[in-house]
Amino acid sequence: MKVAFVGKGGSGKTTTSSLFIRHLAAEGVPVVAIDADINQHLGAALGLSDEEVASVPALGAHLDVIKEYLRGDNPRIASAAQMVKTTPPGRGSKLLRIGGDDPIHAMSRRFGDVTFMAAGQFDDKDLGVSCYHGKTGAVEMYLNHLVDGPGEYVVVDMTAGADTFASGLFTRFDVMFLVVEPTRKGVAVYRQYTDHARDFGVKIAVVGNKVQTSDDEAFLRSQVGDDLLTCMGHQPAVRAMEQGRPFNLSALDGSGREVLRRLQAEVDAQPKDWEKFSRQGAEFHVKNAESWANKSVGVDLTTQIDPEFSMALEASVLG
């Protein structure tokens, strides 16, 4: 399953996603953690040193390599230069499997039981001339071509705010966990997300964070209703982790561990809908092509959509 953690800045989404990643790893299941936040703090939240994080190649800095590999011998994609972030796979494209022997997973690094990947951060040449979509575009291409199998998880810490909706990236996930504080600002972000996602059948589950009292939980319930999946209360061990002290999941109290189990149960309960995944990928590719990509590349990119290609069939063949 492909899972995103989203929310407003300061809501605790990076911390919450790191706890969930640690939980999955402790369960012994294959998990890929991707830092797609402009602040690039997921590695530190997972307990990695600065040197370990720096050893992970930035996906956004290797777009040419990623495009050249993924297009394979797909006759609808004449060159890597004609591949954009929304280009869907077709016959001849290279598909990815978690743990596969390919140039994209070669950019990951394994730390303990977690495979870690990073979109990359802004550097000097990006400032003032680029936006972060160039980095998250690499993540979108990865997800577009990834055939994740049963019991496999990809967890992406997304950039704060509604930037996720600047392309079709938000439709690449089976579940989006929206981390919300019990405040009016937090609820406003929830309404923004649900308004954007309403017509696309995207599963959004709210994780209340920094919930201190029953009144906090009641406030969230009154504002988001049944979308409130669970709440994370005060956890001294998490504060210690955020201060850089050694951390282990066993330091969480029972309620904290139950929150993580609830998140996994919600993910596991979602059906895998490859048909919708492919249909929405094609829809957003057409939107992007007609909006900017055709003009940028100089060809009609809508012809890249292969009506004879089926991710559902590929998934069934690959098992």
Side-chain angles (χ1 to χ4, degrees), residues 162-184:
D163 218 34
T164 308
F165 296 97
S167 73
L169 181 55
F170 72 101
T171 67
R172 305 299 83 194
F173 299 106
D174 299 294
V175 182
M176 293 178 71
F177 286 129
L178 177 57
V179 181
V180 177
E181 299 171 88
T183 64
R184 288 184 295 176

Side-chain angles (χ1 to χ4, degrees), residues 13 63 107 116 198 206 312:
K13 67 176 184 57
L63 285 171
M107 298 181 206
F116 184 76
R198 179 179 296 115
V206 172

Side-chain angles (χ1 to χ4, degrees), residues 1-6 13-25 29-37 42 46 98 114-119 139 142-143 146 148 152-158 172-177 263-264 267:
M1 303 297 278
K2 301 178 177 77
V3 183
F5 278 79
V6 295
K13 67 176 184 57
T14 297
T15 298
T16 308
S17 63
S18 73
L19 293 174
F20 185 55
I21 290 163
R22 289 176 187 256
H23 165 77
L24 293 175
V29 297
V31 55
V32 175
I34 303 180
D35 193 345
D37 187 352
L42 180 61
L46 289 171
I98 289 178
V114 175
T115 298
F116 184 76
M117 306 174 81
V139 177
Y142 172 78
L143 296 176
L146 179 68
D148 43 320
E152 297 177 336
Y153 300 81
V154 178
V155 181
V156 184
D157 181 32
M158 291 298 302
R172 305 299 83 194
F173 299 106
D174 299 294
V175 182
M176 293 178 71
F177 286 129
L263 297 185
Q264 184 179 5
V267 174

Side-chain angles (χ1 to χ4, degrees), residues 55-117:
S55 74
V56 181
L59 296 176
H62 297 87
L63 285 171
D64 290 345
V65 173
I66 294 172
K67 291 177 180 181
E68 189 61 48
Y69 178 77
L70 293 178
R71 77 182 186 93
D73 58 4
N74 184 336
R76 292 175 176 268
I77 308 173
S79 67
Q82 292 184 10
M83 191 169 182
V84 296
K85 61 185 178 181
T86 56
T87 296
R91 287 170 294 175
S93 296
K94 296 288 184 63
L95 300 181
L96 304 170
R97 293 300 304 266
I98 289 178
D101 181 16
D102 59 74
I104 293 88
H105 283 108
M107 298 181 206
S108 68
R109 294 292 182 268
R110 185 139 177 111
F111 299 105
D113 295 319
V114 175
T115 298
F116 184 76
M117 306 174 81

